[in-house]
Amino acid sequence: MRRFSLAFAGIVLVAAIAAPSALAQFAPVTPESPNAEGIRQSYLFVSIFVAGIFVLVEGLLIAFIWKYRRRRRPRFEDGAPIHGATKLELAWTAFPVVVLFLVAAFVFIELPGIKDIPEATAGEEQLEVRVSGRQFYWQYEYPNGVIAVDTMRAPAGVPVRLEVTAPDSDVIHSWWIPPLGGKIDAIPGTVNQTWFEADTPGTYHGQCAELCGLEHANMLASVEVLSQPEFAAWLEERRAEQTAGSGELGAETWEGVCAKCHGLAGEGGIGPRIAGSLVLADPEALESLVRNGRRTMPAVGAGWTSEQVEALANYLKESPPSGS
Ligand SMILES: [Cu+2]
């Protein structure tokens, strides 16, 4: 028994040294928004019990396997009969009840801070962004009509309310930027709400979290948090560019919408090669194609504003895809 105890103590010691770095791989990413912090707290709270019960059950399992091993007894000899152990039985019934109660109570206390969008109070601004999940890109619409694809810009220190949906003709996607909070489904015909408030400027990455088709894995999303003056300047500049049918939106649309299937240089991928296609140089044909789709190509631009179509057409005129 002493040798066993020694070996067991050794295993526990190694686990205790290796565990923190190994566990860090399983922990949620560093939260950058209060709701993500709530999710992390709940995760860690539940993990305490998970780890404790794991060690208890596995430890007992190993101890019993050792203690009750066959030794020299005949192979089919029955073990000694055992009759009741009231205290033990009460304990293993009560203990799980207490654990489940604690976990449920903790989660219910944290839940409002995760789910509820902070109330807009007088003097405090809030930003609302409409998020639309589409095969295979994210489209954002700001209150002033500015459109962005895949990369959302947001101001630091301001609650950002997201109205998440998908067009009727599309499939279900799921919005998920782990450092900025939990997942929320983008469902055709339904508007789901979520929010974040990031204090630190920086770029936070995420990904569509609902298998939505062939290019699902490339349906990435990111949120670039800017200081408030930088964000205000960006929003204004984008508004002016969009009115003029120029600027970043064209390139964003090409990269986020067209290139995911046809390749960044139009060289072809899961969609055919389109470099050199006459449609790219003909704004009317381009508009009809993206709005209506063709054969296996979905109507990726159904519902786009004419500004977005124009921005794409102008971008393709200035920098037509080279094909390689
Ligand atoms: Cu998706």
Side-chain angles (χ1 to χ4, degrees), residues 117-133:
I117 301 156
E119 293 280 324
T121 51
E124 190 205 50
E125 32 168 356
Q126 262 194 6
L127 176 69
E128 189 179 298
V129 182
R130 200 173 163 81
V131 177
S132 197

Side-chain angles (χ1 to χ4, degrees), residues 46-272:
V46 172
S47 298
I48 294 170
F49 296 103
V50 169
I53 292 169
F54 177 79
V55 170
L56 180 73
V57 170
E58 295 304 308
L60 285 175
L61 179 69
I62 293 168
F64 288 163
I65 287 172
W66 184 263
K67 187 168 180 211
Y68 299 108
R69 67 194 186 281
R70 181 157 67 95
R71 295 212 171 94
R72 280 154 200 264
R73 278 173 302 190
R75 190 170 179 81
F76 295 106
E77 189 188 290
D78 279 342
I82 297 169
H83 291 288
T86 314
K87 275 187 194 157
L88 191 63
E89 285 168 17
L90 282 175
W92 77 46
T93 307
F95 176 67
V97 171
V98 172
V99 168
L100 288 179
F101 175 78
L102 287 175
V103 167
F106 190 91
V107 171
F108 276 112
I109 290 168
E110 287 284 340
L111 205 55
I114 295 170
K115 208 169 166 291
D116 296 354
I117 301 156
E119 293 280 324
T121 51
E124 190 205 50
E125 32 168 356
Q126 262 194 6
L127 176 69
E128 189 179 298
V129 182
R130 200 173 163 81
V131 177
S132 197
R134 309 187 53 154
Q135 283 176 320
F136 297 98
Y137 64 99
W138 292 101
Q139 171 124 334
Y140 314 117
E141 191 184 337
Y142 292 81
N144 67 352
V146 160
I147 301 285
V149 174
D150 284 351
T151 304
M152 177 192 294
R153 272 78 168 188
V158 172
V160 182
R161 173 193 288 266
L162 304 177
E163 306 270 333
V164 183
T165 188
D168 289 342
S169 56
D170 218 279
V171 300
I172 298 175
H173 303 269
S174 183
W175 169 255
W176 192 31
I177 308 282
L180 300 181
K183 287 180 229 175
I184 193 91
D185 278 354
I187 303 170
T190 303
V191 179
N192 283 333
Q193 294 184 327
T194 186
W195 68 284
F196 66 83
E197 182 179 345
D199 285 328
T200 323
T203 305
Y204 305 109
H205 298 283
Q207 145 103 58
C208 175
E210 181 76 53
L211 181 62
C212 58
L214 268 178
E215 287 295 272
H216 163 69
N218 287 328
M219 192 166 164
L220 306 174
S222 54
V223 175
E224 204 179 309
V225 175
L226 307 168
S227 71
Q228 288 178 29
E230 275 176 334
F231 174 76
W234 173 82
L235 198 63
E236 212 164 291
E237 192 189 336
R238 269 302 266 259
R239 182 61 269 175
E241 282 178 358
Q242 227 170 275
T243 313
S246 66
E248 278 291 289
L249 179 59
E252 266 181 23
T253 303
W254 166 258
E255 285 163 22
V257 184
C258 314
K260 291 217 179 98
C261 293
H262 294 287
L264 209 50
E267 74 275 20
I270 67 160

Side-chain angles (χ1 to χ4, degrees), residues 134 137 167 169 290-292 299-304:
R134 309 187 53 154
Y137 64 99
S169 56
V290 295
R291 284 202 190 284
N292 305 310
V300 289
W304 281 359

